Amino acid sequence: MAKVTPQKKACSCVSDGFLSLGSVLIAVLLLWSLLYTTQNSHTIILFGSNSKVDSNIAHDPPEKTFYDDRDLSYSIEKPMKNWNEKRKQWLQVHPSFAAGAQDRILLLTGSQPSVCKNRIGDHLLLRLFKNKVDYARLHGYDIFYNNAYLHPKMDSYWAKIPIMRASMMAHPEVEWIWWMDLDAVFTDMEFKLPMERYKNHNLVVHGWPNMVYEDKDNKSWTGLNAGVFLIRNCQWSMDLMDAWSKIGPWTPNFEKWGQILKSMFKDKPFPLPDDQSALIYLLFTEREKWEVKVYLEGEYNLEAYWKGVEGKLENISEVYREIEEGTTSLRRRHAEKLSYWYGASREKYLKEKGLNPWNGRRPFTTHFTGCQPCNGEHNPSYDGNACWREMERALNFADNQVLRNYGFVHKDLLSSSVYPVPFDYPWIDSS
């Protein structure tokens, strides 16, 4: 600890005088600033600076940021360096965006740029996108839908990496990018991600540690699912995406990587590299580099396989209906903005019934992996009609949770028709 040197009495008195005068001046300036800010709500006065920083999106301050660097590239072909510092500096120039940045999430999804081959594909894509827009609106998240290949060779499931990198650069105010494959459906619109759980991690993905980090001689390419995951907006993530993309189709060793992955994952059904087996490969072979910042989520359905949900949604609806029939407060009509509060209130009754994410509760998301709603080239082990039927059932199941706030629900989970719900729905007077 530094030694404090006593000051002379004369200096002390002068300092006290200046402090008193300074205190008065600061008080006057603060009062003036408060009045000025009240009358001009879009302006924040920063003491110690001559610049005015806008508190909303109507103005970009003149201070230079990474956006002014002509050598900075959005492309995956040029690695990003010092991203944490670049992002931090941008937030300092834009302090109104810095407030609350740690909790900000951008939901990201997308589809191919061409028209769907499946005759109902474009309709399904529209409904799948609507589902994500509904969830984002209910929880206050921004959402971006991309249907362009940002790298000509990074198509299909590899297209997510270029758009994730570009999204981090386009949204330095966002802490997390939440990737969700288009064929994944939110089936519990009230569920809120437990973000506090992930405060020390940079990648959150549904998976099993033993299947990812162990079982060297019997590894499965389904040890995690890369269709739904969260990735933090930071340099660590930029480094991971750089390493991840180098296994992708833009690299000259793409076919060689296919042989490496096929030899590691005996259950891999096709020879060319895919993003999911490539991610497992990286986490397994470079465990010391990545593991500490990866959270393999298995305590709830961050990504539920649709075949495991098939035929269960009507029964789940009935369980929730029974809870509401016995609980007046849950039946009360309310504004859509209060949906989360009612969802949190429901938790007590779900726990009393002993329900859990694998038994009786709404799955958070349901992933229709292998169904290929756009091109229709579904996994040959599936019945295509079963894919489309279960997708419609899941979408209507989720839509009922939204539409009810508008006074309607679907007649059944396979019907596009709706009917107005009566007051005190779904209570039934049995007298």
Side-chain angles (χ1 to χ4, degrees), residues 352-414:
E352 286 178 354
K353 279 185 168 287
L355 305 179
N356 60 58
W358 300 273
N359 179 29
R361 290 184 68 119
R362 297 168 179 161
F364 177 37
T365 73
T366 302
H367 193 187
F368 287 85
T369 180
C371 278
Q372 302 293 334
C374 188
N375 62 32
E377 298 172 3
H378 56 82
N379 186 317
S381 65
Y382 301 154
D383 176 359
N385 290 328
C387 275
W388 323 142
R389 182 181 63 249
E390 292 307 311
M391 201 171 290
E392 182 179 9
R393 182 176 274 124
L395 287 165
N396 287 337
F397 178 82
D399 204 33
N400 275 343
Q401 298 167 47
V402 176
L403 278 181
R404 186 168 165 188
N405 292 321
Y406 295 81
F408 295 84
V409 292
H410 288 267
K411 289 183 177 180
D412 60 65
L413 296 186
L414 286 174

Side-chain angles (χ1 to χ4, degrees), residues 76-114:
I76 59 170
E77 295 187 19
K78 188 172 182 180
M80 172 65 74
K81 302 296 182 183
N82 302 316
W83 177 240
N84 291 345
E85 290 74 17
K86 291 178 173 69
R87 183 171 173 243
K88 180 180 179 181
Q89 191 261 343
W90 187 91
L91 289 171
Q92 287 173 340
V93 173
H94 301 80
S96 60
F97 288 104
Q102 292 297 312
D103 302 318
R104 211 166 282 135
I105 296 174
L106 173 67
L107 181 59
L108 187 61
T109 188
S111 63
Q112 76 298 315
S114 58

